[in-house]
Structure formats: structure tokens, C-alpha cells
Amino acid sequence: MNRRKEVEEVKEVNEVEEKSYGVAAVFDVDGTLVALPSLERRFFRTLRYRKKIPARNYFLWLKEAMRLLPRGISAILHGNKMYLRGVKVFDESGEGDGDVSTWHKSGRPSGVGASQAEGQATLAPPPRSSRLPVPTFYPKAIERVAWHAKQGHEIVLLSGTLEPLARAVARCLEEELSARGITATIRVIATRLEQEDGRWTGRVLGEAMFGAAKARAAKRLTAELRLDLSRCFAYGDSAQDRWLLSIVGKATAVNPSKELASFANSRGWPILAWEEKQNRTQRRLSALLRAIRVNRGVAEKRGPRALIA
């Protein structure tokens, strides 16, 4: 009897592994897993507040913006990192320049748990130190990631944010899953920066991860892990994610912008709301006001402060 039970358990495990093999769940970060403003925008504000950005970097940023202008505003928003030139490199744990780390030493976002309202995304209370609070995950986002992990799916963060910030998010997610008794290793694909002597040069290595670049990165990962894209999942919140969402068999728009919502409806993709309606309204209003400032030429007068996404 025990032998029969063991055989059935092995068979069940093999069936689960076969079902999950070749399947990945790919998540955008900003606006999908965590609330806006973006992680990079928060990081930029910290650098500016602590006067870590040399004055000349604003002029370098403007020069690079003019070079990228023919490629569109999105290229400037996501591909221009000259504001970081000469800034000390830090890793995902915040090590490397303690003065500008955006992460607590624990690395785990606070404020996620039963006490948080369903579907709500907030910021952890400001700490007494000068570090920025870590943005918390949407509770429903955690639940979705946990579900995929339980299915044995590969979990991938594919984000336009800086790679150290994305890796910090992955580490926090792994800790959240571990607290639920789930062991998972989360892969990260994000915007990589060139380094020299422990400082960033402001130049992007390879492609900045936005738009079609996300789809290309996902296809490279597919070849590496032998994934079946028709069985893979992808989650994104902005129109820039539509290329990624279009190449998988199970695409979902999360907290979508108006443009992505329209695109999702035309494709028959599910649309999920992981943030409160009030937060979505504030987000859209902020995006509109930012667009108005750009159109009025504020970007040329204020440099990267007006455009950091």
C-alpha cells in the first residue's frame, strides 16, 4: 500500500513538472508590482536631495536628450542616464554608497500584510534615517507571483528601471515568498549601466529595457530557458509594455494606462486592477500634467527633473 502511494506521489510530481516546464511569468515592475512614481524617479529625488548629482550632469543630460530626440520622447525618458555620471555605484542591497541607498538594510518592504487594505499600495512610513522608504508591493501582485511560483513557473522581472533597483525588488519578492513557505529564484532583466572605477558613466550597456527591447529580451530568455511563449504569462501597465505582452500566449494588462487599456480590449486581454481607483486617477492626472510641462518646454529649462520616468 505504501509502495503504491509513493508511486502515485512521484507520478503527481512528474505531471506537475511537465505541466510547468517551459512556462514563465514575466512582470513589469513600476506600476505593475509597485506603485508609481517609479523606483528610478525616487532614486533620482534622493540623489538630488543629497546633492549627489554634479551640476554639470544636468547639462550632459540635456546634450544627450538632444541626441536622442529623433528617436522620440520615450528614448529620452528611458535611455538617458547621464544624470548618474560620476555617481558611486551601489548594489541591490544598497551597499556601495550608503548616503544614497534607497533601500533599508533589511531589504524587505514594510507595510505588506493583513493590515493593508485589499488592493491598496502605499509607501512604508518614512524612516528616521535619510533613506527613502521602500515602495510596497500591491497585495494582489504578491498573490499572483506566489501563484506562479507554486505552479513551478519561472518568475522574471523585466523592467526599464536600473538593474540594481530591479534586483532589490527581486530580493524583496523572494523574501515575501519565503515568508509564505515558497522558495523561488526570481530572474531579473533591467537597464544596465556602464561602470568605471566604482562609478557610473551615465552610459547604458546594451539596450534600455523599454518598448520593443523588452520583447527582444524576452525572446532571448526564451531561447536560453527553452520556454514556450504560447504558454507564458506577461503583466504590464503601460503602452510601452505592449510589445512584450504581444509575444506571449497569456498577456494581462495591470492598472493599465488609457492607451494600453484600449490596446488590451482590442486584443481581448484580461485587465486587472491591483491599485485603488483613487490611485489610478492620481496617476493619470500626474501623467497628464507631466506631458503638459514637457510640451511647454519645461524639460529644456529644468533638465532631467522634468522627464525622469
Side-chain angles (χ1 to χ4, degrees), residues 192-208:
R192 299 172 59 231
L193 298 177
E194 182 183 69
Q195 304 175 18
E196 288 183 0
D197 300 324
R199 294 179 182 272
W200 283 308
T201 67
R203 291 187 287 270
V204 173
L205 288 176
E207 293 185 290

Side-chain angles (χ1 to χ4, degrees), residues 39 51 59 63 75 93 107 113 128 132-133 170-171 208 233-234 258 262 264 268 271 282 297 308:
L39 300 179
K51 295 180 172 55
F59 296 99
K63 181 180 178 180
S93 66
R128 293 182 181 276
L132 274 179
R171 184 163 55 86
F233 299 76
K258 185 176 180 179
S262 177
I271 296 177
Q282 291 175 344
I308 295 298

